[in-house]
Amino acid sequence: MRLVFNRSALIMPVTLGVAFISLIILPTNSFAVVEPVRETTAKTITPFCLNINKSTTEITGRMTELSNKLTQAWTNQDLQLTTKLQQIDTDVATRREQASVSLKENFTKLEAKATTDNQKMAVTTYKAAVSSAVSTRRAAYDSARQIFRDAVKAVTLTRRDEVSAQLTSFATTVDTAISTAKNTCTGNGKTGNAVHEAYQNSLKTAKNSFQEHRSSDEKIKGQIGALAATRDATFASTNVAFKASLELAKKDLQAAFDNSSEI
C-alpha cells in the first residue's frame, strides 16, 4: 500500500503564522492624533508613548500565541501522520497474511497433483522459488517505504527548523523595536511620533522578511513529490523482477508436468 501525504498540510502551520504576524503589525495610524497635541508643558507626551506599554504587551502576547499555536499544529500533524502510518502498516500486514494463506493453499493443490518423483521435486523447487520471490518483493517494498518515510521526516524537520529560526529572528526584531521605542519614549516622550514611525518601520521590515521566506514553503511539496516518485520507481522495478521470477518458476514447473495447462 502506498502512503499519500497531504503536502499542503505540511506547510499549513506556517501559513497560520503569516496570518498572526499580519495581526501583530499594527496599522501606522494606530496612535494617530486626531487633534494636535498642545504642549502645555515641556513634558507633554504623545499618545504613542502614553500607550506604548499596553500596545507592546498585546504584541508580545500575540507572538506567544503564535508560537504556541504553531507548536500545537506541528504536534497535531505528527499525531495524524503516526496514526496514518500505523493504519497503512496494519493493512499491509493483513493483506500479506491473506496472500500467504492463499499461496499455501495453491501449494497444497500442486502437491496433490504431483505423482512422480520428478513432479514432486519440481513442486518443491517451485515452492522455494515462489517463496523466495515473495520474500524478496516484500523486503524491497518495506525498504522503499521506510526510506521514503525517513526522508519525508527529515525534510519536514529541516523545514520546521528553518521556520522556527525565522520566527525567532522575527521575534528578536520585534523585541528590539519595542525596547528601543520604550527607551526613547522614556528619554523624551515628545518625540513619540518619530519613535512610532521608526517602530512601525522596524515591524514592517521584520514582517516583510518573514513573508519573503514563505516562498520556500512550497519547496517541501516538490521534495516529497520527488521522494514519492523514487519510491514508486522502486515499487515498479520490484514488480517487474517479481513477475519475471514467477514466470521462470512456472515454466520450470510446467515442464515437469509435460507443459500441462492445468498447472
Side-chain angles (χ1 to χ4, degrees):
M1 180 179 291
R2 299 180 183 179
L3 170 62
V4 179
F5 278 92
N6 183 347
R7 299 165 197 165
S8 296
L10 292 174
I11 66 171
M12 201 162 59
V14 181
T15 304
L16 176 68
V18 174
F20 269 90
I21 286 175
S22 296
L23 293 176
I24 289 171
I25 307 301
L26 301 177
T28 55
N29 62 349
S30 296
F31 300 100
V33 182
V34 178
E35 295 290 337
V37 177
R38 299 180 181 280
E39 296 189 13
T40 56
T41 69
K43 294 186 177 181
T44 299
I45 302 177
T46 59
F48 173 72
C49 287
L50 282 173
N51 293 282
I52 191 169
N53 287 330
K54 178 182 177 181
S55 62
T56 55
T57 296
E58 291 175 353
I59 289 178
T60 54
R62 290 170 185 165
M63 288 294 297
T64 300
E65 183 179 2
L66 165 61
S67 178
N68 292 339
K69 283 184 176 293
L70 190 59
T71 298
Q72 187 60 52
W74 283 342
T75 298
N76 293 340
Q77 188 180 81
D78 290 340
L79 290 175
Q80 292 170 3
L81 182 57
T82 297
T83 299
K84 179 67 175 177
L85 294 180
Q86 290 174 342
Q87 183 59 55
I88 288 173
D89 291 341
T90 298
D91 291 344
V92 168
T94 299
R95 293 185 181 187
R96 286 181 176 179
E97 180 60 29
Q98 293 171 343
S100 294
V101 171
S102 178
L103 186 60
K104 185 176 181 180
E105 292 174 349
N106 289 334
F107 286 161
T108 300
K109 292 177 182 179
L110 280 175
E111 289 171 339
K113 292 179 180 180
T115 57
T116 69
D117 290 341
N118 185 47
Q119 289 175 342
K120 291 178 181 180
M121 183 177 294
V123 169
T124 299
T125 301
Y126 176 78
K127 288 171 57 179
V130 171
S131 296
S132 176
V134 169
S135 296
T136 299
R137 180 176 183 268
R138 289 179 178 179
Y141 261 67
D142 289 344
S143 177
R145 190 180 294 113
Q146 191 59 50
I147 289 173
F148 171 72
R149 292 178 181 182
D150 290 343
V152 168
K153 181 178 180 180
V155 298
T156 300
L157 291 179
T158 295
R159 189 59 192 143
R160 287 180 181 179
D161 287 342
E162 292 172 350
V163 173
S164 294
Q166 292 159 8
L167 282 173
T168 297
S169 176
F170 175 81
T172 298
T173 301
V174 171
D175 288 343
T176 299
I178 289 174
S179 178
T180 299
K182 284 184 175 181
N183 289 337
T184 306
C185 281
T186 300
N188 186 354
K190 292 195 300 180
T191 63
N193 291 333
V195 176
H196 180 211
E197 183 177 355
Y199 171 73
Q200 284 290 341
N201 287 338
S202 295
L203 295 189
K204 285 182 178 180
T205 298
K207 173 187 174 184
N208 292 338
S209 176
F210 183 80
Q211 289 183 324
E212 286 175 3
H213 288 298
R214 302 286 59 76
S215 60
S216 299
D217 292 339
E218 295 291 330
K219 181 176 64 175
I220 194 171
K221 287 185 177 181
Q223 291 175 319
I224 294 177
L227 293 171
T230 299
R231 176 204 59 192
D232 293 346
T234 299
F235 287 167
S237 62
T238 297
N239 288 336
V240 171
F242 176 70
K243 291 178 180 178
S245 296
L246 293 187
E247 287 298 326
L248 180 60
K250 181 178 180 181
K251 182 179 179 181
D252 292 341
L253 177 66
Q254 287 179 324
F257 284 83
D258 299 324
N259 295 317
S260 173
S261 60
E262 296 182 2
I263 300 301

